[in-house]
Amino acid sequence: MTVNNISFKTIAVFFNTGNKSSRLFSYAGLAVGVLLLLCCVQMYININELLKDRNPHKNGYDFLSVTKTITNDNMGNDNRFTNADIEDLKKQSFITDAAPLLSNQFRAKASAGDIIPFSTDLFLESVKNEFIDTLPPSFKWQPGQQDVPIIFSADFLEMYNVFAPAQGLPQLSESSIGAVNIVLECYSPDGSVTNFRGHIVAVSDRINSVIVPQTFLEWGNKTFGNRPPQAAARVYIKTTDANSAGLQNYIQQKNYHLNKDKTKFGRIKSTLQAIVAGLGGLAVLVVLLSVLLFSFYLQLMVSRSKDNLQLLLTLGYSPLWLSKTVAKKWIPVYAIIILLAFAGTALFQYSFQKNFIAGQDVLSPYPHFFVIALAAILFLLCVVANYRLIKKLLYKL
Amino acid sequence: MNITLKNIVPQFLEKEKIQRSQIWGQEHTFRKGEMIQIVAPSGSGKTSLVHFLYGLRKDYTGDILLGEKKLKSLTPPVLAAIRADDVSIIFQDLRLFKDFSTQQNIEIKRLLSAFHNTSKINEMAERLGIANKLTQNAGTCSYGEQQRIAIIRALQQPFDFIIMDEPFSHLDENNREKAMQLIEEEAKARGAAIILADLKPIEFFNAEHIIHL
């Protein structure tokens, strides 16, 4: 059979293509829909990249620090949390869990050895492990252990880096801080000193303190402290929604203070992502509608050309060959549409990176690989869906 | 390839017509190279038989075998390949593209599976007296001219069988003879069989078998 030599041109005259405007509309719709979809996916990735390290959410929870508000009136009082206060916090339906931040009841001092001539008095705190956002497996201590793992607040690191140059100290990055050997000096009430080797094992965005394992602090308070266990001045709470009205009312009523800055990025991120996801959903709808419009156009074309197509099939033209030949005609059309939409997305990303974030290299000026893959998948989907529809229509004749 | 009919009975035909028939409900084999005349009065199912043989309709019981394969079980692409290369047809209702020229009507069949090159179309049209109609729309030609277009179209492809359903009904004696001669020549060139179904025997057809439907 020599049917393979025949091109679409030969049989094109037997197609009554008709209604050009509905075809062009469906092309335009597809281009807009794909452009919107690709931009949304790129934007979703951008938001994720830009707000990646500042997200204090962990498994859908917000972790917040609660203190008692210090005013001129209550300055002289004991503004620490009693056990009853903590139990009351835990009882609230909008609070999943609460844990006090224990602090050291002995004098502790840190020095960074000979390389960095730096020494300071230190306050140490500990909290339940599940409240720590960046918890490495090495964050453990048992009596007799010389090495004490420390989790350091990212804010403190930033503050240190601001003042370090003026003091002639080197600035440190998050990754290099782990290499600094800290000598942790713990003072007994009688003035004797016990040294430990401190290592910063992680930096935390959530807890602005110097965190050591709870076992170490309890042991230290017992060994070096001379006072009975003290109440905590700070409590961490775990909640599903930091903005819930119940929580706000409770905090206000108890005259507590909530550290909420940390949740702002998370809120902005999830809000932005919800908006972009909504737009993406709309884009999918536009794509589907334009594909539907195009399928109506194809059905119309086939039904207008029904007599001719039927006769071609009767004469021995294979419906399979005919489907492939007709479908092939639209491959360049889909390629151009998707490429245009992709070019639009690339332009969007380039101008977003250059203008909106001033060319910082936290974002690539080029579309993300996933966007490229999605464009390729959409192209394949269009081609396959088109071919299947044409095949179905022709086999039905 | 042979075509074998095995107890073909149309689902719509009266019993008495089936009992008198030499084809319905019988086993019969058409062999390549045979000249067969099927004589069928009106209402005996002539056109139905032609459509069954060409795979256009399946409303019958029994089987038609193309070689070893059951015609009913062939997929559309396989059936299309058989129509392009093995079995040619002239329909009673001609089935031309009415809005296209004579030349286009014939060429679209030749392009599918060419036995001749395109110059042969002119030669055949000349022989059958429609050379001056090649550029004219088929729909505007007379029925007799359209019959000749359909005949020339059917001769563009390779085939083992050419099935014809009242191909000369609107041709005068002179044109019948010319057309029949051309068809016989073309069938011989391919070693093919001619199956000609008509109301009565065609005088210019040298049939080896006459079968009454």
Side-chain angles (χ1 to χ4, degrees), chain A residues 189-214:
Chain A
D190 60 6
S192 63
V193 183
T194 311
N195 284 357
F196 293 90
R197 282 192 302 269
H199 287 289
I200 293 175
V201 291
V203 172
S204 168
D205 279 318
R206 186 187 296 158
I207 300 170
N208 50 348
S209 182
V210 180
I211 303 290
V212 292
Q214 207 158 358

Side-chain angles (χ1 to χ4, degrees), chain A residues 248-265:
Chain A
Q248 301 296 336
N249 291 341
Y250 179 79
I251 296 292
Q252 210 165 13
Q253 179 204 326
K254 289 278 181 178
N255 206 17
Y256 289 165
H257 174 76
L258 204 56
N259 171 16
K260 247 175 66 173
D261 300 0
K262 289 287 180 183
T263 66
K264 271 184 192 156
F265 270 121

Side-chain angles (χ1 to χ4, degrees), chain A residues 15-315:
Chain A
F15 281 91
N16 189 343
T17 49
N19 208 347
K20 205 172 178 183
S21 62
S22 77
R23 189 176 59 196
L24 293 180
F25 256 115
S26 72
Y27 292 165
L30 189 63
V32 170
V34 171
L35 175 67
L36 196 59
L37 186 59
L38 293 183
C39 282
C40 283
V41 171
Q42 180 63 55
M43 209 50 217
Y44 197 91
I45 294 166
N46 286 353
I47 293 167
N48 222 16
E49 288 291 315
L50 285 173
L51 304 177
K52 187 161 62 180
D53 294 324
R54 278 154 275 189
N55 181 11
H57 274 255
K58 192 179 181 186
N59 305 328
Y61 290 109
D62 283 325
F63 291 85
L64 306 168
S65 132
V66 181
T67 51
K68 291 191 174 175
T69 311
I70 313 290
T71 62
N72 286 341
D73 298 333
N74 68 7
M75 267 168 65
N77 305 341
D78 181 0
N79 285 314
R80 289 178 295 190
F81 288 90
T82 62
N83 278 341
D85 288 338
I86 295 169
E87 285 311 311
D88 193 52
L89 273 168
K90 280 185 186 172
K91 259 191 271 170
Q92 305 306 317
S93 59
F94 38 80
I95 294 173
T96 314
D97 200 4
L101 223 70
L102 300 175
S103 53
N104 56 325
Q105 288 153 22
F106 55 92
R107 184 176 170 223
K109 197 176 162 192
S111 61
D114 300 332
I115 308 163
I116 307 172
F118 173 81
S119 163
T120 181
D121 267 16
L122 208 60
F123 51 90
L124 301 173
E125 288 183 296
S126 76
V127 70
K128 271 207 260 177
N129 279 356
E130 62 168 301
F131 281 74
I132 300 170
D133 50 347
T134 48
L135 185 74
S138 58
F139 193 68
K140 280 186 193 111
W141 188 88
Q142 56 194 25
Q145 193 176 323
Q146 265 299 302
D147 285 298
V148 178
I150 296 170
I151 294 178
F152 201 61
S153 163
D155 289 346
F156 292 177
L157 179 62
E158 203 179 312
M159 217 187 298
Y160 165 82
N161 278 333
V162 169
F163 293 109
Q167 302 291 323
L169 300 170
Q171 288 184 310
L172 296 167
S173 71
E174 273 188 30
S175 49
S176 66
I177 195 168
V180 176
N181 286 315
I182 296 167
V183 179
L184 194 62
E185 299 168 8
C186 298
Y187 289 82
S188 296
D190 60 6
S192 63
V193 183
T194 311
N195 284 357
F196 293 90
R197 282 192 302 269
H199 287 289
I200 293 175
V201 291
V203 172
S204 168
D205 279 318
R206 186 187 296 158
I207 300 170
N208 50 348
S209 182
V210 180
I211 303 290
V212 292
Q214 207 158 358
T215 46
F216 177 75
L217 203 64
E218 279 166 0
W219 176 84
N221 282 346
K222 211 188 294 168
T223 312
F224 308 117
N226 58 352
R227 283 176 290 172
Q230 300 287 306
R234 260 210 291 190
V235 174
Y236 264 86
I237 58 163
K238 178 180 175 187
T239 172
T240 47
D241 185 5
N243 283 355
S244 83
L247 179 64
Q248 301 296 336
N249 291 341
Y250 179 79
I251 296 292
Q252 210 165 13
Q253 179 204 326
K254 289 278 181 178
N255 206 17
Y256 289 165
H257 174 76
L258 204 56
N259 171 16
K260 247 175 66 173
D261 300 0
K262 289 287 180 183
T263 66
K264 271 184 192 156
F265 270 121
R267 301 251 141 236
I268 292 168
K269 181 179 170 181
S270 57
T271 310
L272 279 179
Q273 284 189 332
I275 292 169
V276 170
L279 269 178
L282 197 68
V284 169
L285 200 68
V286 173
V287 169
L288 284 179
L289 280 176
S290 55
V291 167
L292 197 68
L293 182 63
F294 186 70
S295 84
F296 286 149
Y297 162 76
L298 276 183
Q299 287 179 37
L300 194 68
M301 181 190 79
V302 168
S303 78
R304 276 171 194 243
S305 321
K306 194 178 172 190
D307 291 346
N308 284 349
L309 294 176
Q310 252 169 355
L311 187 46
L312 281 176
L313 296 177
T314 306
L315 289 180

Side-chain angles (χ1 to χ4, degrees), chain B residues 50-117:
Chain B
V50 168
H51 287 185
F52 293 163
L53 288 173
Y54 198 60
L56 282 182
R57 281 168 56 182
K58 291 179 180 174
D59 49 342
Y60 57 85
T61 56
D63 278 313
I64 297 174
L65 302 179
L66 295 181
E68 302 292 312
K69 290 177 210 151
K70 285 184 185 173
L71 186 58
K72 270 184 183 173
S73 64
L74 297 179
T75 62
V78 172
L79 189 59
I82 287 170
R83 289 171 183 175
D85 294 329
D86 301 317
V87 179
S88 191
I89 194 160
I90 300 166
F91 289 107
Q92 187 185 14
D93 56 355
L94 306 179
R95 305 202 180 184
L96 299 175
F97 296 102
K98 296 258 160 79
D99 299 329
F100 292 85
S101 73
T102 302
Q103 180 86 41
Q104 279 177 304
N105 265 284
I106 301 168
E107 188 67 9
I108 193 68
K109 183 68 177 168
R110 198 191 71 80
L111 283 172
L112 177 63
S113 179
F115 188 77
H116 295 298
N117 56 38

